[in-house]
Amino acid sequence: MTYWMYGWHACNAALCNPARKIEKILLDKRQDPKKVQLSRKIPLEVVDVKIIEQKVGREAVHQGIAMCVNELIPEDVSILEQDKPMLAVILDQITDPHNMGAIWRSCAVFGTVGIITTERNSAPESGVLAKAASGALEIVPRIEVKNLATSITELKELGFWIYGFSEHAKDGLQNFSFAKKTVLVFGNEGDGMRSLTMKNCDQTLQLPTSKDFQTLNVSNAAAVALYEVFRQQ
């Protein structure tokens, strides 16, 4: 499927990704065409900003550029079959594209090799998600699975340890040593991890927080946890 991607970071990252198929570029006539990092032949139209707003919505922060792109083809768990320290992430039915995009960006910053999502009940690739990810969609591959419990079993067979994050966990992130092959699991914005997902984790952890206010947005929680694993590795 195709969708309209927008924003300079997202669009230029997509233009630099040979795996990304791009149908068309729309550029606000007030923008400098030299800012578009073209390395292949793609139709480019210089248009009035209203044309871009018709494609992406008036509320979208498009920064004067939009591109009609094809979704990237998801990868398979087999890309994680490597005998070296690795960090991967599981997103258990996260449906908010802003949250998912923000997590994708943190994953790229902290060296994540893959993000595992479910085929159903997960935010699909979209312009909103791509803008929030700020180019990270082109860097960290999406691994899409039908059954998360089965995939967790496969990951364990590949030598990964599975760490789920929950505000109800007894053990804290502080002073915790992660395995060389680590998977971090983050659950839905409202309900957190599903019970079966939590049951299949090797360890559940919570972030140290103030006693006065303990709830943290999932994308912020993911950034904190990813940093700690990155720091250790």
Side-chain angles (χ1 to χ4, degrees), residues 165-175 205-218 220-222 224-225:
F165 281 82
S166 168
E167 61 186 85
H168 306 297
K170 294 181 180 180
D171 296 317
L173 174 68
Q174 66 273 32
N175 302 319
L205 299 168
Q206 65 168 320
L207 301 182
T209 57
S210 164
K211 292 181 180 179
D212 298 324
F213 197 86
Q214 297 178 316
T215 303
L216 196 62
N217 177 280
V218 64
N220 298 129
V224 173

Side-chain angles (χ1 to χ4, degrees), residues 2 13 23 25 38-39 43 49 57 63-64 75 93 102 106 112 118 127 152 173 177 179-180 194 207 212 225:
T2 62
E23 306 287 344
I25 305 170
L38 275 180
S39 59
V49 68
Q63 299 173 306
E75 297 284 355
Q93 298 195 343
S106 295
T112 304
T118 52
I152 288 175
L173 174 68
S177 297
K180 289 184 177 181
R194 289 172 292 169
L207 301 182
D212 298 324

Side-chain angles (χ1 to χ4, degrees), residues 1-4 20-26 40-45 67-71:
M1 292 181 62
T2 62
Y3 67 92
W4 285 94
R20 174 71 77 176
K21 186 176 180 182
I22 302 169
E23 306 287 344
K24 182 191 295 186
I25 305 170
L26 299 180
R40 45 188 160 143
K41 291 184 178 180
I42 302 169
L44 187 154
E45 295 181 24
M67 305 193 314
C68 183
V69 304
N70 283 260
E71 293 181 18

Side-chain angles (χ1 to χ4, degrees), residues 96-116:
D96 186 323
H98 295 94
N99 276 335
M100 187 175 279
I103 293 171
W104 227 285
R105 186 174 185 176
S106 295
C107 284
V109 168
F110 296 120
T112 304
V113 296
I115 297 173
I116 300 161

Side-chain angles (χ1 to χ4, degrees), residues 13-217:
L15 287 165
C16 294
N17 180 6
R20 174 71 77 176
K21 186 176 180 182
I22 302 169
E23 306 287 344
K24 182 191 295 186
I25 305 170
L26 299 180
L27 189 67
D28 181 354
K29 62 185 179 183
R30 296 170 295 182
Q31 295 285 338
D32 181 0
K34 293 180 181 179
K35 291 173 66 178
V36 182
Q37 299 176 9
L38 275 180
S39 59
R40 45 188 160 143
K41 291 184 178 180
I42 302 169
L44 187 154
E45 295 181 24
V46 178
V47 299
D48 188 276
V49 68
K50 292 181 179 179
I51 301 298
I52 295 176
E53 289 176 350
Q54 289 173 6
K55 300 296 185 182
V56 304
R58 294 187 64 182
E59 302 302 318
V61 185
H62 54 74
Q63 299 173 306
I65 187 171
M67 305 193 314
C68 183
V69 304
N70 283 260
E71 293 181 18
L72 292 170
I73 299 172
E75 297 284 355
D76 185 79
V77 172
S78 61
I79 68 168
L80 303 179
E81 294 178 357
Q82 303 176 57
D83 186 21
K84 64 178 184 180
M86 283 190 290
L87 169 61
V89 163
I90 288 175
L91 302 181
D92 186 13
Q93 298 195 343
I94 290 183
T95 56
D96 186 323
H98 295 94
N99 276 335
M100 187 175 279
I103 293 171
W104 227 285
R105 186 174 185 176
S106 295
C107 284
V109 168
F110 296 120
T112 304
V113 296
I115 297 173
I116 300 161
T117 66
T118 52
E119 288 184 2
R120 299 179 60 187
N121 300 317
S122 290
E125 190 177 328
S126 66
V128 174
L129 197 159
K131 180 65 166 61
S134 196
L137 286 182
E138 318 303 323
I139 297 170
V140 185
R142 183 175 196 148
I143 301 167
E144 204 169 67
V145 301
K146 292 182 178 180
N147 187 297
L148 195 53
T150 300
S151 298
I152 288 175
T153 298
E154 292 177 17
L155 289 166
K156 289 181 179 181
E157 291 172 351
L158 293 175
F160 283 93
W161 282 77
I162 316 297
Y163 305 91
F165 281 82
S166 168
E167 61 186 85
H168 306 297
K170 294 181 180 180
D171 296 317
L173 174 68
Q174 66 273 32
N175 302 319
F176 190 85
S177 297
F178 289 91
K180 289 184 177 181
K181 298 182 74 171
T182 284
V183 175
L184 305 183
V185 187
F186 303 99
N188 177 275
E189 297 89 340
D191 301 323
M193 286 183 291
R194 289 172 292 169
S195 57
L196 182 58
T197 304
M198 186 177 295
K199 181 180 178 181
N200 285 321
C201 290
D202 295 306
Q203 178 84 38
T204 56
L205 299 168
Q206 65 168 320
L207 301 182
T209 57
S210 164
K211 292 181 180 179
D212 298 324
F213 197 86
Q214 297 178 316
T215 303
L216 196 62
N217 177 280

